[in-house]
Amino acid sequence: LGDVYAKLQRPVLARQAFHKALKLEPEFPGAYLALSMLEKSLGDKEKAAEYLEKAKEVAPKNPAVLYQEAIAAKHKEKPENLDTIEEVLTDEEREMKRNQRANLHYAAAKIYDDLDQMDDAFRHFKEGRKFLYSPYNSKRRRWQIDAYKEFFNKEFFEARREVGFESAKPVFVFGMPRSGTTLTEQIVGRHPKAVGAGELTYFHSEMVKLRGEAKVTPDFFKNILAMDPKAFRRAGKGYLSLLESIGGKAARVVDKMPHNFENLWMMALLFPSASFIHLNRNPIDNCISIYTTPLRDGHNYAISQKDLGEYFCMYRELMDHWAEVLPVNIRQQSYEALGEDQERESRALIDHVGLPWDDACLEFYKGDRQVTTFSIDQVRRPIYKSSVNRWKRYESQVGELVEALGPYGPTPD
């Protein structure tokens, strides 16, 4: 119950549920970890550390505890828990779920990365993905991108231009994961007339209805052709009701869902007056950040450097297509530019969403709204530039990724 409340961004009720769980089972590490993550998502690092320490006391070899302990610190020398991680990983008699083993490998990789022992770090990154992701089908993805480009042409949008709503409330922020979408949401969401809604799954759910299964097939496009104006209006009204329940009377509500870049066809049709912001980051830096982060299985394109690089190229191909055919103005926001000139870029973002400037947008890290993405630590402190050109630290380990990125790979100095 606490997990559900946390996902619904109702932290008070989540906290109460976790404490009730601990009354029932005082040595339950999962409850302590959940409390640690909840406080971390709200920006209280001290409480988060206290609960993590309690989790460690009751379950020092728990994979989730070891993982959270590893990512909670920047290691300048070998920590004691690295030996524990290696010990648990090599214990053949210990039963572990796939995600637990993945967590341990990523924990070890994070520590070795901090210690600049890149060969060991990438050994664990590679091993961890075997337990994290299911097999990825690059040929299926290639078919999907080709089908999108053929089906969603200018004539498609012209024939359906009457189905849209006039509302300017939605602010759509999208791009590859780890590209700066959370940062952008926090900047806009700090405006007094805006609310950050986090990662809304509304359009993903609409696509699932149209697909009827997990993957895109020809039936997906047949079902789109069968949609009449009433069907589009129902979808639009449902989304506006969702924004109303989250943002109330706010003039803008920020929907930050990276992979909405696949769903732009419906978003653009329904809300031509909305604000669209596409985050761009140096491709090699973006891909390495994805590769070194344990994402959900839906991101199984990151199972190998080759698949990740090829997926990135197809993503950019799709974005180029959208730029040609979508009947909306998409702001191309550079992640690196935000770091170089925060105020200039922030002012441009606020202007793009149609709001007057407010200085609160420069102090995005002071927001008290719950943050639940992997960027949870980064958005609780001022903008930093250490992640720019991060790829050079891994240059000798990412040759396969560089090759797969092709024209989007790094250029020689």
Side-chain angles (χ1 to χ4, degrees), residues 25-313:
E25 179 53 71
E27 294 191 353
F28 178 34
Y32 285 121
L33 276 178
L35 280 164
S36 177
M37 293 300 296
L38 179 67
E39 300 302 342
K40 188 177 181 180
S41 74
L42 294 166
D44 193 331
K45 294 183 178 180
E46 289 186 7
K47 280 189 178 180
E50 289 176 9
Y51 284 122
L52 179 57
E53 187 60 32
K54 289 181 179 179
K56 183 181 176 182
E57 289 175 8
V58 299
K61 293 186 178 181
N62 181 288
V65 173
L66 289 167
Y67 172 73
Q68 291 299 331
E69 186 182 14
I71 67 171
K74 178 71 173 178
H75 303 89
K76 296 182 179 180
E77 57 185 32
K78 180 182 176 181
E80 293 181 4
N81 69 338
L82 181 56
D83 288 333
T84 305
I85 293 169
E86 299 279 16
E87 174 194 336
V88 176
L89 276 173
T90 55
D91 184 355
E92 296 180 358
E93 296 183 0
R94 186 184 183 92
E95 293 185 4
M96 283 190 289
K97 296 179 180 178
R98 287 175 59 86
N99 67 313
Q100 291 177 319
R101 196 169 289 276
N103 278 341
L104 288 173
H105 279 295
Y106 274 88
K110 163 65 166 62
I111 295 171
Y112 281 122
D113 190 336
D114 286 348
L115 299 175
D116 288 327
Q117 298 180 26
M118 295 307 177
D119 288 340
D120 286 322
F122 270 74
R123 171 171 57 85
H124 281 286
F125 281 134
K126 187 174 182 179
E127 285 297 311
R129 359 189 49 73
K130 296 178 183 178
F131 304 100
L132 188 65
Y133 299 125
S134 58
Y136 168 70
N137 190 329
S138 182
K139 290 183 179 179
R140 178 186 287 273
R141 181 65 176 180
R142 179 69 266 169
W143 178 87
Q144 179 184 344
I145 297 300
D146 289 341
Y148 269 48
K149 291 171 63 178
E150 181 178 354
F151 186 83
F152 296 117
N153 52 34
K154 289 184 178 180
E155 290 73 24
F156 172 88
F157 294 102
E158 180 65 24
R160 294 163 179 80
R161 61 180 179 176
E162 302 300 328
V163 304
F165 292 75
E166 294 182 2
S167 175
K169 178 170 283 199
V171 177
F172 298 116
V173 177
F174 50 90
M176 284 291 282
R178 314 296 295 160
S179 64
T181 54
T182 301
L183 170 62
T184 302
E185 179 208 9
Q186 292 293 107
I187 292 172
V188 179
R190 278 287 284 162
H191 195 285
K193 294 184 179 181
V195 171
E199 297 183 347
L200 301 182
T201 59
Y202 187 87
F203 289 101
H204 172 74
S205 297
E206 291 298 306
M207 297 308 115
V208 171
K209 293 176 187 176
L210 289 167
R211 292 198 305 253
E213 58 175 89
K215 304 296 181 182
V216 173
T217 68
D219 284 343
F220 172 70
F221 302 102
K222 292 179 183 177
N223 292 335
I224 293 173
L225 290 175
M227 290 181 70
D228 59 18
K230 289 184 179 179
F232 280 106
R233 298 293 290 185
R234 279 195 298 271
K237 286 180 180 178
Y239 185 71
L240 289 177
S241 294
L242 175 62
L243 297 193
E244 189 74 21
S245 69
I246 295 171
K249 296 183 179 181
R252 301 290 185 270
V253 178
V254 188
D255 181 350
K256 180 214 80 95
M257 176 57 81
H259 276 268
N260 263 343
F261 69 77
E262 293 190 8
N263 308 323
L264 289 176
W265 67 270
M266 178 177 277
M267 297 153 64
L269 277 176
L270 294 180
F271 301 106
S273 298
S275 303
F276 292 78
I277 303 171
H278 174 220
L279 267 293
N280 292 281
R281 184 180 179 185
N282 180 356
I284 186 72
D285 280 342
N286 198 168
C287 287
I288 285 176
S289 187
I290 292 171
Y291 190 82
T292 57
T293 302
L295 303 174
R296 295 185 297 274
D297 188 44
H299 301 276
N300 63 340
Y301 54 84
I303 195 168
S304 72
Q305 293 189 32
K306 180 177 183 294
D307 286 325
L308 175 57
E310 291 178 351
Y311 183 95
F312 187 93
C313 291

